Amino acid sequence: LMATGAVVSPPDRNALLLYREVLELEPDNPDAKAGQVAIAQHFVTLADKALSANSLDAAAGYLQQATVLAPELAQLEALQLRLDQAVAEHQASVAAARARAAEENNRAEAMLDQFKITGLLRSAEYDIANRRYTRPGDNNALQKYQAVLQVAPGNAEARRGLRLIAEKLEMEIDVAVATDNTEKLPSLLAELERVDPDNPVLQQPAT
């Protein structure tokens, strides 16, 4: 059976099965013992070839079978060391590939964020030029600067933009007070509160 290649299959008729049946009847049978060692050596050869082909799972399986059959084989320790090293190298390679993929993904996300920020900042400038400070609700400078700060909390241009809106509203409030425009003043104060809730102008007593 060994000569025909029926080492461990088919499951109902193979060399390993026959050797084991013999050893159940004669535990010290030298031919059966030698046969098991020969099969173990066969698995060692398969494990070596699998390692060379970088088929680590197959190599591990063959090595395990050889170890069960003939743990005394001299090649097993060296083969196990090769397998362990190959597994470690594979794991390191996978980890490095994942790290590179994560880094590339982070770079791509950062680029997308920067495109988004640039678009929002330019659009906010246009809103300010057209006095869309806080209205309409779905398209105004305040909303866009706040969206930028959600992505990049330290963005200096967005913070300057909010300060600019506050300054423009302060000037409009000064004009409304100076002209006694009591109809417009409440809405201007409400806008300023949305932009800069701690603005000192909001703390001044109504005149």
Side-chain angles (χ1 to χ4, degrees), residues 3-165:
T4 64
V7 181
V8 293
S9 61
D12 58 342
R13 183 172 173 79
N14 59 71
L16 178 59
L17 179 63
L18 292 176
Y19 288 138
R20 284 177 172 171
E21 289 176 351
V22 171
L23 289 171
E24 285 181 6
L25 298 174
E26 298 180 47
D28 297 324
N29 186 285
D31 292 334
K33 284 185 174 183
Q36 280 202 151
V37 171
I39 291 175
Q41 188 63 59
H42 171 71
F43 284 129
V44 166
T45 301
L46 292 177
D48 181 70
K49 290 180 179 179
L51 268 175
S52 297
N54 206 33
S55 299
L56 303 185
D57 289 341
Y62 293 138
L63 183 56
Q64 182 181 19
Q65 288 176 293
T67 303
V68 169
L69 292 172
E72 71 279 5
L73 282 178
Q75 305 102 306
L76 294 179
E77 184 176 355
L79 200 56
Q80 184 65 58
L81 287 174
R82 281 181 58 202
L83 177 61
D84 291 343
Q85 182 179 359
V87 169
E89 290 174 355
H90 174 72
Q91 290 173 341
S93 175
V94 170
R98 287 176 178 170
R100 286 194 299 271
E103 184 178 352
E104 291 172 3
N105 185 60
N106 289 339
R107 281 201 300 267
E109 288 183 356
M111 288 180 61
L112 288 174
D113 285 345
Q114 189 56 52
F115 286 139
K116 178 181 178 181
I117 287 170
T118 300
L120 286 168
L121 290 173
R122 300 293 80 80
S123 182
E125 289 176 357
Y126 183 79
D127 288 336
I128 290 176
N130 289 274
R131 212 222 168 275
R132 290 198 294 266
Y133 304 151
T134 65
R135 294 190 296 267
D138 60 346
N139 186 25
N140 61 73
L142 172 62
Q143 175 195 52
K144 291 164 187 175
Y145 285 136
Q146 288 175 335
V148 169
L149 292 172
Q150 284 183 343
V151 177
N155 188 279
E157 190 172 348
R159 294 188 179 280
R160 286 196 299 269
L162 291 176
R163 183 63 234 160
L164 177 61
I165 295 172

Side-chain angles (χ1 to χ4, degrees), residues 169-181 184-185 188:
L169 286 169
E170 288 170 12
M171 288 189 290
E172 291 186 21
I173 289 169
D174 287 343
V175 171
V177 170
T179 58
D180 198 26
N181 191 338
K184 189 175 183 181
L185 186 58
L188 291 173

